Amino acid sequence: MTFDALNTDLLSAPKIDWDFLLDAPLRILIIIVIAIVLNMVMRYFIRRFSTAVAKGTVGSQKAAENGKFSATVMESQRTGIDPATIRERRAQRAKTVGRMLSSVATILISAVAVLMILDQLNFNIAPILASAGVVGVALAFGAQELVRDYLSGFFMVIEDQYGIGDTVDLGEAVGEVEDFGLRKTAVRDLTGTLWHVRNGEIMRVGNLSQGWARAVLEIPVNYSTSMDTYREITETVTAEMAKDSQVASAMLEVPEIAGVQSLSAEYRVIRTMIKTKPNLQWMVERAFRAELTNEFDRRGITIPIIQETVLRTLPRETDSTDSTTSSNSEDEPRPTYTTRQTTDNGPSPLPGDDEIRSTTDESGTDAADGES
């Protein structure tokens, strides 16, 4: 092919519309690239935030540089929880928070990028924006409970109010947390009932498993047992409990005698407190009561019993006489008596003098009439 023929073919070929390529397609490409880069930047900051959540609120890196303990070790020494358990809980919280924030960021960036691309393709996005506004208003009124649930769950995760396996008091539901999400919490109570509680309805949270727990015992002791004797008994009981490795590992401190809590005519109540690991206070309470009962039996100390006096009234003789007479002869007229009615459920009141006289007179008159 000669040069003239090649030049003719190039001149006769269709020209490329560079103006079109540099207009809408280039802008769409720029929008997509910016959306991808922005999404990557947002995910980077979200990962940093999740890492900060996993490390805790204390600056562990700065503490490590100064030769001090990390936040995990400090919390472990303060609460008595294994550092591995603390790190696992924080990692779970960071994963939940990071997954939710990444999803929200991706959805928002993608939605804005799609709208901008449609605008570059000369689509009328005004109806779409109007529809989005209407949908937003409808969601603001109809889904506000759902939004509140998710926001409450998000801050619960951030603040580490409770997690799976904790024993919590959520008001109506008290038990162990089996499932915890951003919208609802599942709690299994002592009877086995599984409660599903929306996070937006939780006004307060009582975590019985976070950090450490305390076994509080109200021990009734008679007045013949002095406080010094009770302290000796407590020391003996503590030594017996230390022989059980499971109970000994659950106790963080020796029992503390707070003092006399209340007084009554039969006994005084002495409050004893034991600091334990989370979720193990009930086991320590049962072990302490069992050993305390055995020690009381060895020392011959009896548990005080509340004395009660029960007053009962016997049926009146006129009533028994009336029932006997009516059983012997059904044709004879039954004498009438004046009785006193009471509205309470207590014992029957004793008859007064006037009532006794009227009853005696009526009985004599009726008897006379019957004999005639």
Side-chain angles (χ1 to χ4, degrees):
M1 180 180 292
T2 62
F3 179 76
D4 295 336
L6 180 60
N7 191 16
T8 303
D9 292 338
L10 291 175
L11 292 175
S12 60
K15 295 182 180 180
I16 300 175
D17 191 359
W18 293 102
D19 295 335
F20 173 78
L21 293 178
L22 295 177
D23 190 14
L26 182 60
R27 292 181 181 179
I28 293 174
L29 182 61
I30 293 174
I31 291 173
I32 294 175
V33 172
I34 291 177
I36 294 174
V37 173
L38 184 60
N39 192 14
M40 294 176 61
V41 172
M42 291 297 296
R43 286 179 177 271
Y44 170 75
F45 284 106
I46 290 172
R47 283 196 300 270
R48 291 194 59 180
F49 178 72
S50 301
T51 304
V53 172
K55 288 183 178 180
T57 57
V58 182
S60 57
Q61 183 178 359
K62 188 177 295 185
E65 292 176 357
N66 296 333
K68 300 179 181 179
F69 292 108
S70 64
T72 303
V73 176
M74 294 173 61
E75 185 175 354
S76 177
Q77 293 181 351
R78 179 175 56 86
T79 60
I81 305 176
D82 186 19
T85 304
I86 297 176
R87 286 192 293 268
E88 183 179 357
R89 282 186 62 129
R90 287 179 175 172
Q92 182 181 5
R93 287 162 43 207
K95 182 179 179 180
T96 304
V97 173
R99 185 170 59 249
M100 189 197 73
L101 293 179
S102 298
S103 300
V104 172
T106 302
I107 292 173
L108 291 178
I109 294 173
S110 300
V112 174
V114 168
L115 292 176
M116 294 178 66
I117 291 173
L118 292 176
D119 184 43
Q120 294 299 322
L121 295 176
N122 296 325
F123 282 95
N124 187 11
I125 64 173
I128 299 177
L129 295 177
S131 301
V134 173
V135 172
V137 173
L139 290 177
F141 285 98
Q144 55 183 346
E145 297 293 338
L146 186 63
V147 174
R148 187 174 68 175
D149 294 340
Y150 276 98
L151 288 178
S152 299
F154 175 76
F155 285 107
M156 287 178 183
V157 172
I158 290 294
E159 298 171 359
D160 192 21
Q161 296 184 8
Y162 56 86
I164 296 177
D166 290 351
T167 302
V168 296
D169 182 358
L170 303 182
E172 296 293 334
V174 180
E176 183 179 353
V177 178
E178 288 195 354
D179 187 19
F180 175 49
L182 294 178
R183 191 181 68 86
K184 67 181 182 66
T185 301
V187 178
R188 178 88 60 180
D189 65 4
L190 187 62
T191 61
T193 305
L194 185 62
W195 296 84
H196 297 274
V197 185
R198 289 169 40 202
N199 294 332
E201 294 181 347
I202 300 176
M203 298 292 103
R204 60 172 179 82
V205 176
N207 196 330
L208 308 179
S209 307
Q210 201 169 32
W212 52 271
R214 176 174 284 144
V216 181
L217 302 103
E218 308 288 347
I219 307 299
V221 180
N222 52 32
Y223 288 100
S224 60
T225 304
S226 62
M227 291 294 297
D228 294 335
T229 304
Y230 181 76
R231 290 189 180 91
E232 294 177 1
I233 294 174
T234 304
E235 294 176 357
T236 305
V237 170
T238 305
E240 292 294 329
M241 293 172 62
K243 297 179 181 179
D244 190 345
S245 59
Q246 186 176 5
V247 177
S249 61
M251 297 172 56
L252 299 178
E253 295 179 357
V254 297
E256 175 187 356
I257 301 176
V260 179
Q261 185 67 18
S262 62
L263 299 173
S264 65
E266 293 81 15
Y267 56 84
R268 59 185 173 213
V269 177
I270 300 177
R271 172 169 291 182
T272 305
M273 300 180 298
I274 308 175
K275 189 176 181 179
T276 66
K277 291 183 178 180
N279 277 348
L280 298 179
Q281 62 268 32
W282 300 286
M283 181 188 69
V284 175
E285 287 181 6
R286 289 190 291 267
F288 186 87
R289 290 192 182 97
E291 293 296 336
L292 183 65
T293 304
N294 296 333
E295 185 64 23
F296 276 178
D297 294 339
R298 285 192 291 266
R299 292 175 178 258
I301 300 175
T302 59
I303 298 176
I305 302 175
I306 300 177
Q307 299 180 359
E308 296 181 355
T309 303
V310 180
L311 300 177
R312 296 182 179 178
T313 58
L314 298 176
R316 291 176 294 184
E317 296 180 357
T318 54
D319 295 337
S320 60
T321 304
D322 178 50
S323 60
T324 305
T325 305
S326 60
S327 61
N328 293 335
S329 57
E330 297 179 355
D331 297 336
E332 295 182 359
R334 179 178 299 176
T336 58
Y337 305 99
T338 304
T339 59
R340 181 183 301 173
Q341 297 180 353
T342 57
T343 57
D344 57 353
N345 296 325
S348 302
L350 298 177
D353 296 335
D354 297 335
E355 185 176 354
I356 294 175
R357 294 193 192 94
S358 62
T359 305
T360 304
D361 296 338
E362 291 176 2
S363 301
T365 305
D366 292 341
D369 294 340
E371 291 176 358
S372 62

